[in-house]
Amino acid sequence: MLAVAYGAAAQWRVGEADTSRSDVHLSMGTTVLAGYGNSQALGWVAPSVEYRLTDRLTVDAGFAAVGTLLDGYTLHGREPRSLAPVRRGTQMLAFHAGARYEVNERLTLWGSVTRLTGYAQPLWLDGSLPIEATDISGGVAYRMESGSLIEAHFHFIHDHYGTARAGLLGHPYYGPLVPEWDLYYGPWPF
């Protein structure tokens, strides 16, 4: 009940102008994933800060950390036991830095760099996969006299292991039911 009151009090001063140069954010949470005979409980924390150096230049930075809270539970049948060491769970860390520059009232430029590292266990695997990726992104926005907005974005992602694209819930192209075709399982069958 007290959390609802704090949420309502935080929205109270929406109409007031913000004259501060910095803006600090903190995101925290937990989630539970279940499927394919596995379950995981994850927690994350993601602080970030944005600072206006001038009226035209704004910089921002932050990091995000996600990890397994509890040991996952896997349904096992009558398969032979293996004593091979297998890393399980999820531990990932991402760092982010970026800048936005307003050239004039109509033209805005921005860019950022993000670094992701760690390991993650998809629900359909009985072990973790290494994750290491670097993202450089940016763009330009131009507001025309009619009020229309034209934007161009670019992203360059270097996924060192090729495992970040699958995510925890499945491959974005052909789904989690065909994980053996991914790059980290060996050569493609084509």
Side-chain angles (χ1 to χ4, degrees):
M1 190 69 152
L2 189 58
V4 173
Y6 280 127
Q11 302 301 321
W12 193 306
R13 300 180 186 154
V14 172
E16 295 180 13
D18 185 11
T19 58
S20 66
R21 290 195 167 291
S22 63
D23 194 8
V24 178
H25 298 273
L26 176 63
S27 173
M28 297 172 60
T30 59
T31 188
V32 176
L33 305 170
Y36 306 101
N38 292 328
S39 65
Q40 290 184 28
L42 302 172
W44 74 86
V45 61
S48 64
V49 63
E50 182 177 294
Y51 187 76
R52 278 191 354 222
L53 292 172
T54 66
D55 288 341
R56 294 184 174 190
L57 181 62
T58 303
V59 295
D60 62 288
F63 74 91
V66 62
T68 304
L69 295 174
L70 305 169
D71 288 337
Y73 296 96
T74 305
L75 298 176
H76 290 284
R78 295 186 54 114
E79 71 268 1
R81 295 194 64 141
S82 172
L83 299 177
V86 176
R87 176 184 282 167
R88 289 184 173 85
T90 298
Q91 297 291 328
M92 291 187 296
L93 185 62
F95 296 97
H96 164 81
R100 183 176 63 249
Y101 182 68
E102 296 177 17
V103 178
N104 54 37
E105 291 180 354
R106 295 187 181 180
L107 183 63
T108 303
L109 306 170
W110 67 87
S112 68
V113 63
T114 303
R115 176 81 170 141
L116 172 67
T117 186
Y119 55 92
Q121 180 177 357
L123 290 174
W124 64 86
L125 288 181
D126 191 31
S128 297
L129 300 171
I131 296 209
E132 188 174 344
T134 305
D135 170 52
I136 298 173
S137 60
V140 59
Y142 182 75
R143 184 174 306 279
M144 296 187 288
E145 288 182 16
S146 64
S148 298
L149 186 66
I150 297 175
E151 290 189 4
H153 300 257
F154 69 85
H155 294 280
F156 296 106
I157 300 172
H158 182 210
D159 188 354
H160 302 274
Y161 292 107
T163 55
R165 64 192 173 106
L168 293 173
L169 298 177
H171 196 280
Y173 303 118
Y174 47 79
L177 299 178
V178 197
E180 66 271 4
W181 285 4
D182 277 330
L183 295 176
Y184 47 82
Y185 281 100
W188 282 68
F190 307 116

